[in-house]
Amino acid sequence: EGETPFLVACRKGCINIALILLKKADELKIDLNSKDNDGQTAFHLACLHGHSNIAEMIMKNCSKLKIDLNSEGSTEPSLFTSDGCTAFHLACWQGHSEIAEMIMKNSSELNIDLNSKDNNGDTAFQMACGNGHSEVAEMIMKNSLKLNIDLNCKDNDGDAGFHLACCNGHSDTAEMIMKNSSQTNLDLNIKCNVESKRNLSISEGWTAFHFTCFSGHSKIAEMIMKNSSKLKIDLNSKDHDGWTAFHLACMKGHIKI
């Protein structure tokens, strides 16, 4: 699969072997930025598999050994549908909060791009939201102002993090986003601005409430309505076809909503 011994050590979490290879890199002419057949570097693999000690070791030595922490790789076909993920994407996609925190803490010093997009246009924050990793998503939100992380960024389908959490039914993540939105300038009324490529009849101009009611996620719909006045969420927002979330709930037969 195109793996070097260093890549194998980092993927399997063999810290002692990885450290020896790291120290001998110049002497043995080891390419520490080498990629496997899926386009992943050692840093990608350590972050993907949750090996925080190896990720930390690589970050501590990246400047001296010229290791690229922003490398964009292809992704494992069995796990993803998109290429272009950084190690930060993978840590957040898998919900590895310790690694995500470590990357954010060192991002300014090591010039790590926390707003990098994969080929689907998703940032690490969007991946955390879309996969329901509330702890990671909250950590990103609370550091967003200090680290200039864009929480309203949209992917190639026009969806922001709040859209993805609601569409996928992650009620804990949606609740956390609403709770922290006013302190982070996250827009709860943000609209999808392109026709979605999903196998759903999604129109331009949908808010997270539209997505919620279309998908039948009653718990999230109730939370949004309950907090709509306080958080100034527009429950009557219309998409580009003039449909409200109520229209969508009725069309799909979601009686509870």
Side-chain angles (χ1 to χ4, degrees):
E1 298 182 357
E3 287 186 315
T4 64
F6 184 60
L7 289 170
V8 173
C10 292
R11 176 171 59 83
K12 290 184 172 290
C14 303
I15 181 68
N16 293 330
I17 295 174
L19 183 58
I20 291 171
L21 294 172
L22 196 73
K23 289 180 177 179
K24 295 282 187 178
D26 287 338
E27 179 186 341
L28 300 177
K29 297 182 180 179
I30 298 172
D31 181 2
L32 300 176
N33 290 302
S34 176
K35 296 182 179 181
D36 63 18
N37 291 347
D38 290 321
Q40 295 175 332
T41 66
F43 191 49
H44 281 117
L45 293 170
C47 292
L48 174 64
H49 295 286
H51 302 310
S52 57
N53 53 352
I54 292 181
E56 182 179 20
M57 176 193 72
I58 291 173
M59 283 192 283
K60 283 182 177 179
N61 289 276
C62 68
S63 298
K64 181 175 66 176
L65 297 175
K66 298 180 180 179
I67 300 173
D68 183 6
L69 301 183
N70 290 306
S71 178
E72 296 180 358
S74 299
T75 51
E76 294 184 24
S78 60
L79 295 178
F80 301 97
T81 58
S82 173
D83 293 340
C85 286
T86 65
F88 186 50
H89 279 106
L90 300 184
C92 293
W93 186 87
Q94 291 287 67
H96 297 311
S97 56
E98 184 179 352
I99 295 177
E101 182 178 21
M102 194 161 46
I103 290 174
M104 285 190 287
K105 183 178 179 180
N106 292 280
S107 61
S108 297
E109 181 185 350
L110 300 179
N111 296 313
I112 299 174
D113 183 3
L114 302 178
N115 288 305
S116 178
K117 294 184 174 186
D118 69 3
N119 290 358
N120 275 343
D122 286 307
T123 64
F125 175 66
Q126 286 162 289
M127 284 192 167
C129 292
N131 286 285
H133 297 306
S134 301
E135 183 180 354
V136 173
E138 184 171 23
M139 193 186 310
I140 293 174
M141 288 188 72
K142 288 185 175 179
N143 286 278
S144 61
L145 296 177
K146 180 174 67 175
L147 298 176
N148 296 313
I149 299 173
D150 184 2
L151 302 179
N152 295 310
C153 188
K154 297 178 183 179
D155 62 19
N156 297 346
D157 287 333
D159 299 330
F162 189 44
H163 291 136
L164 296 170
C166 291
C167 180
N168 293 335
H170 299 305
S171 57
D172 290 344
T173 305
E175 182 178 25
M176 181 280 298
I177 290 173
M178 286 189 281
K179 178 182 175 182
N180 290 283
S181 61
S182 58
Q183 290 82 34
T184 58
N185 299 321
L186 186 144
D187 184 3
L188 298 177
N189 290 302
I190 194 169
K191 292 187 175 185
C192 172
N193 62 356
V194 295
E195 292 287 347
S196 178
K197 297 181 181 64
R198 296 189 183 92
N199 293 321
L200 299 173
S201 303
I202 293 174
S203 173
E204 290 192 59
W206 281 21
T207 64
F209 191 48
H210 281 93
F211 280 104
T212 301
C213 293
F214 178 84
S215 301
H217 300 308
S218 57
K219 183 177 180 180
I220 298 177
E222 184 178 9
M223 280 194 299
I224 290 176
M225 288 187 286
K226 183 178 179 180
N227 290 281
S228 60
S229 297
K230 181 175 65 175
L231 298 177
K232 298 180 180 178
I233 299 174
D234 184 3
L235 302 179
N236 294 307
S237 178
K238 295 179 180 181
D239 67 15
H240 289 193
D241 295 320
W243 288 53
T244 66
F246 179 62
H247 286 120
L248 295 175
C250 292
M251 178 189 74
K252 295 295 290 183
H254 296 311
I255 298 173
K256 189 172 183 179
I257 292 179

